[in-house]
CSV table of all heavy atoms in Angstrom, one decimal:
chain,number,residue,atom,x,y,z
A,320,LYS,N,25.4,-22.1,-12.6
A,320,LYS,CA,25.6,-20.7,-12.3
A,320,LYS,C,25.4,-19.8,-13.6
A,320,LYS,O,26.1,-18.8,-13.7
A,320,LYS,CB,27.0,-20.5,-11.8
A,320,LYS,CG,27.4,-21.4,-10.6
A,320,LYS,CD,26.7,-21.1,-9.4
A,320,LYS,CE,26.9,-22.1,-8.3
A,320,LYS,NZ,25.7,-22.7,-7.7
A,321,LYS,N,24.5,-20.2,-14.4
A,321,LYS,CA,24.2,-19.4,-15.6
A,321,LYS,C,22.8,-18.7,-15.4
A,321,LYS,O,22.0,-19.3,-14.7
A,321,LYS,CB,24.1,-20.3,-16.9
A,321,LYS,CG,25.5,-20.8,-17.4
A,321,LYS,CD,25.2,-21.3,-18.8
A,321,LYS,CE,26.1,-22.5,-19.1
A,321,LYS,NZ,25.5,-23.5,-19.9
A,322,LEU,N,22.7,-17.6,-16.1
A,322,LEU,CA,21.4,-16.9,-15.9
A,322,LEU,C,20.3,-17.4,-16.9
A,322,LEU,O,20.6,-17.7,-18.0
A,322,LEU,CB,21.6,-15.4,-16.1
A,322,LEU,CG,22.6,-14.7,-15.1
A,322,LEU,CD1,22.9,-13.3,-15.5
A,322,LEU,CD2,22.0,-14.8,-13.7
A,323,VAL,N,19.1,-17.3,-16.4
A,323,VAL,CA,18.0,-17.6,-17.3
A,323,VAL,C,17.5,-16.2,-17.7
A,323,VAL,O,16.7,-15.5,-16.9
A,323,VAL,CB,16.9,-18.4,-16.6
A,323,VAL,CG1,15.7,-18.6,-17.6
A,323,VAL,CG2,17.4,-19.8,-16.2
A,324,GLU,N,17.9,-15.7,-18.8
A,324,GLU,CA,17.7,-14.3,-19.2
A,324,GLU,C,16.2,-13.8,-19.2
A,324,GLU,O,15.9,-12.7,-18.7
A,324,GLU,CB,18.3,-14.0,-20.5
A,324,GLU,CG,18.9,-12.6,-20.5
A,324,GLU,CD,19.9,-12.3,-21.6
A,324,GLU,OE1,19.4,-12.0,-22.7
A,324,GLU,OE2,21.1,-12.4,-21.3
A,325,ARG,N,15.3,-14.7,-19.6
A,325,ARG,CA,13.9,-14.2,-19.7
A,325,ARG,C,13.3,-14.0,-18.4
A,325,ARG,O,12.3,-13.3,-18.3
A,325,ARG,CB,13.1,-15.2,-20.6
A,325,ARG,CG,12.8,-16.5,-19.9
A,325,ARG,CD,11.8,-17.4,-20.6
A,325,ARG,NE,11.6,-18.6,-19.9
A,325,ARG,CZ,12.5,-19.7,-20.0
A,325,ARG,NH1,13.5,-19.6,-20.7
A,325,ARG,NH2,12.2,-20.7,-19.2
A,326,CYS,N,13.9,-14.5,-17.3
A,326,CYS,CA,13.3,-14.3,-16.0
A,326,CYS,C,14.0,-13.1,-15.2
A,326,CYS,O,13.6,-12.8,-14.1
A,326,CYS,CB,13.5,-15.5,-15.1
A,326,CYS,SG,12.5,-16.9,-15.8
A,327,LEU,N,15.0,-12.5,-15.9
A,327,LEU,CA,15.6,-11.3,-15.3
A,327,LEU,C,14.7,-10.1,-15.4
A,327,LEU,O,13.8,-10.1,-16.2
A,327,LEU,CB,17.0,-11.0,-15.9
A,327,LEU,CG,18.1,-12.0,-15.6
A,327,LEU,CD1,19.2,-11.8,-16.5
A,327,LEU,CD2,18.5,-12.0,-14.1
A,328,TYR,N,15.0,-9.0,-14.7
A,328,TYR,CA,14.2,-7.8,-14.8
A,328,TYR,C,14.4,-7.1,-16.1
A,328,TYR,O,15.5,-6.9,-16.5
A,328,TYR,CB,14.5,-6.9,-13.6
A,328,TYR,CG,13.7,-5.6,-13.7
A,328,TYR,CD1,12.4,-5.6,-13.2
A,328,TYR,CD2,14.3,-4.5,-14.3
A,328,TYR,CE1,11.7,-4.4,-13.2
A,328,TYR,CE2,13.5,-3.3,-14.3
A,328,TYR,CZ,12.2,-3.3,-13.8
A,328,TYR,OH,11.5,-2.1,-13.9
A,329,ARG,N,13.3,-6.8,-16.8
A,329,ARG,CA,13.5,-6.0,-18.0
A,329,ARG,C,12.7,-4.7,-17.8
A,329,ARG,O,11.5,-4.7,-17.5
A,329,ARG,CB,12.8,-6.8,-19.2
A,329,ARG,CG,13.0,-6.2,-20.5
A,329,ARG,CD,12.3,-7.0,-21.6
A,329,ARG,NE,13.0,-8.3,-21.8
A,329,ARG,CZ,14.0,-8.5,-22.7
A,329,ARG,NH1,14.4,-7.5,-23.4
A,329,ARG,NH2,14.5,-9.7,-22.9
A,330,ASP,N,13.4,-3.6,-18.0
A,330,ASP,CA,12.8,-2.3,-17.9
A,330,ASP,C,11.6,-2.2,-18.8
A,330,ASP,O,11.8,-2.4,-20.0
A,330,ASP,CB,13.9,-1.2,-18.2
A,330,ASP,CG,13.4,0.2,-17.9
A,330,ASP,OD1,12.5,0.6,-18.6
A,330,ASP,OD2,14.0,0.8,-17.0
A,331,PRO,N,10.4,-1.8,-18.2
A,331,PRO,CA,9.2,-1.8,-19.1
A,331,PRO,C,9.3,-0.8,-20.2
A,331,PRO,O,8.6,-0.9,-21.2
A,331,PRO,CB,8.1,-1.5,-18.1
A,331,PRO,CG,8.8,-0.9,-16.9
A,331,PRO,CD,10.2,-1.4,-16.9
A,332,ILE,N,10.1,0.2,-20.0
A,332,ILE,CA,10.1,1.3,-21.1
A,332,ILE,C,11.3,1.1,-22.0
A,332,ILE,O,11.2,1.0,-23.2
A,332,ILE,CB,10.2,2.7,-20.5
A,332,ILE,CG1,9.0,2.8,-19.4
A,332,ILE,CG2,10.1,3.8,-21.5
A,332,ILE,CD1,9.3,3.8,-18.4
A,333,LYS,N,12.5,1.0,-21.4
A,333,LYS,CA,13.7,0.9,-22.3
A,333,LYS,C,14.0,-0.5,-22.8
A,333,LYS,O,14.8,-0.8,-23.7
A,333,LYS,CB,14.9,1.4,-21.5
A,333,LYS,CG,14.8,2.9,-21.2
A,333,LYS,CD,15.9,3.3,-20.3
A,333,LYS,CE,15.6,4.7,-19.6
A,333,LYS,NZ,16.1,4.8,-18.3
A,334,GLY,N,13.4,-1.5,-22.1
A,334,GLY,CA,13.6,-2.9,-22.5
A,334,GLY,C,14.9,-3.5,-22.0
A,334,GLY,O,15.3,-4.6,-22.3
A,335,LYS,N,15.7,-2.7,-21.3
A,335,LYS,CA,17.0,-3.1,-20.8
A,335,LYS,C,16.9,-4.1,-19.7
A,335,LYS,O,16.1,-4.0,-18.8
A,335,LYS,CB,17.8,-1.8,-20.3
A,335,LYS,CG,19.2,-2.0,-20.1
A,335,LYS,CD,19.9,-0.7,-19.6
A,335,LYS,CE,21.3,-1.1,-19.1
A,335,LYS,NZ,21.7,-0.2,-18.1
A,336,ILE,N,17.8,-5.1,-19.8
A,336,ILE,CA,17.8,-6.2,-18.8
A,336,ILE,C,18.8,-5.8,-17.7
A,336,ILE,O,19.9,-5.3,-17.9
A,336,ILE,CB,18.3,-7.5,-19.4
A,336,ILE,CG1,17.1,-8.1,-20.3
A,336,ILE,CG2,18.7,-8.5,-18.3
A,336,ILE,CD1,17.4,-9.3,-21.0
A,337,GLU,N,18.3,-5.9,-16.4
A,337,GLU,CA,19.1,-5.5,-15.3
A,337,GLU,C,19.4,-6.8,-14.5
A,337,GLU,O,18.4,-7.5,-14.1
A,337,GLU,CB,18.5,-4.5,-14.4
A,337,GLU,CG,18.2,-3.2,-15.0
A,337,GLU,CD,19.4,-2.3,-15.3
A,337,GLU,OE1,20.5,-2.8,-15.1
A,337,GLU,OE2,19.2,-1.2,-15.8
A,338,LYS,N,20.7,-7.1,-14.2
A,338,LYS,CA,21.0,-8.3,-13.5
A,338,LYS,C,21.0,-8.2,-12.0
A,338,LYS,O,20.7,-9.1,-11.2
A,338,LYS,CB,22.3,-8.8,-13.9
A,338,LYS,CG,22.3,-9.3,-15.4
A,338,LYS,CD,23.6,-9.9,-15.8
A,338,LYS,CE,23.6,-10.1,-17.3
A,338,LYS,NZ,24.9,-10.1,-17.9
A,339,LYS,N,21.3,-7.0,-11.5
A,339,LYS,CA,21.4,-6.8,-10.1
A,339,LYS,C,20.3,-5.9,-9.6
A,339,LYS,O,19.9,-4.9,-10.2
A,339,LYS,CB,22.8,-6.1,-9.7
A,339,LYS,CG,23.9,-6.9,-9.9
A,339,LYS,CD,25.1,-6.3,-9.3
A,339,LYS,CE,26.3,-7.2,-9.4
A,339,LYS,NZ,27.5,-6.5,-9.6
A,340,LEU,N,19.8,-6.3,-8.4
A,340,LEU,CA,18.7,-5.6,-7.8
A,340,LEU,C,19.0,-4.1,-7.6
A,340,LEU,O,18.2,-3.2,-7.9
A,340,LEU,CB,18.4,-6.2,-6.4
A,340,LEU,CG,16.9,-6.2,-6.0
A,340,LEU,CD1,16.1,-6.9,-7.0
A,340,LEU,CD2,16.8,-6.9,-4.6
A,341,GLU,N,20.3,-3.8,-7.2
A,341,GLU,CA,20.6,-2.4,-6.9
A,341,GLU,C,20.7,-1.5,-8.2
A,341,GLU,O,20.7,-0.3,-8.2
A,341,GLU,CB,21.9,-2.3,-6.1
A,341,GLU,CG,23.1,-2.9,-6.8
A,341,GLU,CD,23.4,-4.3,-6.3
A,341,GLU,OE1,22.4,-5.0,-5.9
A,341,GLU,OE2,24.6,-4.7,-6.3
A,342,ASP,N,20.6,-2.2,-9.4
A,342,ASP,CA,20.6,-1.4,-10.6
A,342,ASP,C,19.2,-1.2,-11.2
A,342,ASP,O,19.0,-0.4,-12.1
A,342,ASP,CB,21.4,-2.2,-11.7
A,342,ASP,CG,22.9,-2.2,-11.4
A,342,ASP,OD1,23.3,-1.3,-10.6
A,342,ASP,OD2,23.6,-3.2,-11.8
A,343,ILE,N,18.2,-1.9,-10.5
A,343,ILE,CA,16.9,-1.7,-11.0
A,343,ILE,C,16.3,-0.4,-10.4
A,343,ILE,O,16.3,-0.3,-9.2
A,343,ILE,CB,16.0,-2.9,-10.6
A,343,ILE,CG1,16.6,-4.2,-11.2
A,343,ILE,CG2,14.5,-2.7,-11.0
A,343,ILE,CD1,15.9,-5.5,-10.8
A,344,PRO,N,15.9,0.6,-11.2
A,344,PRO,CA,15.4,1.8,-10.6
A,344,PRO,C,14.4,1.7,-9.5
A,344,PRO,O,14.4,2.5,-8.6
A,344,PRO,CB,14.8,2.6,-11.8
A,344,PRO,CG,15.4,1.9,-13.0
A,344,PRO,CD,15.7,0.5,-12.7
A,345,PHE,N,13.6,0.7,-9.6
A,345,PHE,CA,12.5,0.5,-8.6
A,345,PHE,C,13.2,0.3,-7.2
A,345,PHE,O,12.6,0.8,-6.2
A,345,PHE,CB,11.7,-0.7,-8.9
A,345,PHE,CG,10.6,-1.0,-7.9
A,345,PHE,CD1,9.4,-0.3,-8.0
A,345,PHE,CD2,10.7,-2.0,-7.0
A,345,PHE,CE1,8.4,-0.6,-7.1
A,345,PHE,CE2,9.7,-2.3,-6.1
A,345,PHE,CZ,8.5,-1.6,-6.1
A,346,TYR,N,14.3,-0.3,-7.2
A,346,TYR,CA,15.0,-0.5,-5.9
A,346,TYR,C,16.1,0.5,-5.6
A,346,TYR,O,16.4,0.9,-4.4
A,346,TYR,CB,15.6,-1.9,-5.8
A,346,TYR,CG,14.6,-3.0,-5.7
A,346,TYR,CD1,14.2,-3.7,-6.8
A,346,TYR,CD2,14.0,-3.3,-4.5
A,346,TYR,CE1,13.2,-4.7,-6.7
A,346,TYR,CE2,13.0,-4.3,-4.4
A,346,TYR,CZ,12.6,-5.0,-5.5
A,346,TYR,OH,11.7,-6.0,-5.4
A,347,LYS,N,16.7,1.0,-6.7
A,347,LYS,CA,17.9,1.9,-6.5
A,347,LYS,C,17.6,3.1,-5.7
A,347,LYS,O,18.5,3.6,-4.9
A,347,LYS,CB,18.3,2.3,-7.9
A,347,LYS,CG,19.6,2.9,-8.1
A,347,LYS,CD,19.9,2.9,-9.6
A,347,LYS,CE,20.7,4.0,-10.1
A,347,LYS,NZ,20.9,4.0,-11.5
A,348,TYR,N,16.4,3.7,-5.8
A,348,TYR,CA,16.2,4.9,-5.1
A,348,TYR,C,15.5,4.7,-3.7
A,348,TYR,O,15.1,5.6,-3.0
A,348,TYR,CB,15.3,5.9,-5.9
A,348,TYR,CG,16.0,6.3,-7.2
A,348,TYR,CD1,15.9,5.5,-8.3
A,348,TYR,CD2,16.8,7.4,-7.2
A,348,TYR,CE1,16.6,5.9,-9.5
A,348,TYR,CE2,17.4,7.8,-8.3
A,348,TYR,CZ,17.4,7.0,-9.5
A,348,TYR,OH,18.0,7.4,-10.6
A,349,GLN,N,15.4,3.4,-3.3
A,349,GLN,CA,14.7,3.1,-2.0
A,349,GLN,C,15.8,3.0,-0.9
A,349,GLN,O,17.0,2.9,-1.1
A,349,GLN,CB,14.0,1.8,-2.1
A,349,GLN,CG,12.8,1.8,-3.1
A,349,GLN,CD,11.9,0.6,-2.9
A,349,GLN,OE1,11.6,0.2,-1.8
A,349,GLN,NE2,11.5,0.1,-4.0
A,350,GLN,N,15.3,3.1,0.3
A,350,GLN,CA,16.1,2.8,1.5
A,350,GLN,C,15.3,1.9,2.4
A,350,GLN,O,14.4,2.4,3.1
A,350,GLN,CB,16.5,4.1,2.2
A,350,GLN,CG,17.5,3.9,3.3
A,350,GLN,CD,18.0,5.2,3.9
A,350,GLN,OE1,17.6,6.3,3.6
A,350,GLN,NE2,18.9,5.1,4.9
Side-chain angles (χ1 to χ4, degrees):
K320 311 289 171 232
K321 284 194 217 144
L322 297 173
V323 177
E324 212 162 87
R325 69 170 179 281
C326 296
L327 289 169
Y328 178 83
R329 187 182 288 272
D330 189 292
I332 306 153
K333 297 173 198 144
K335 193 179 165 210
I336 287 177
E337 299 289 3
K338 293 182 186 153
K339 290 195 176 140
L340 214 55
E341 60 265 28
D342 294 332
I343 299 172
F345 180 79
Y346 288 100
K347 198 165 148 183
Y348 296 88
Q349 294 193 42
Q350 186 170 4

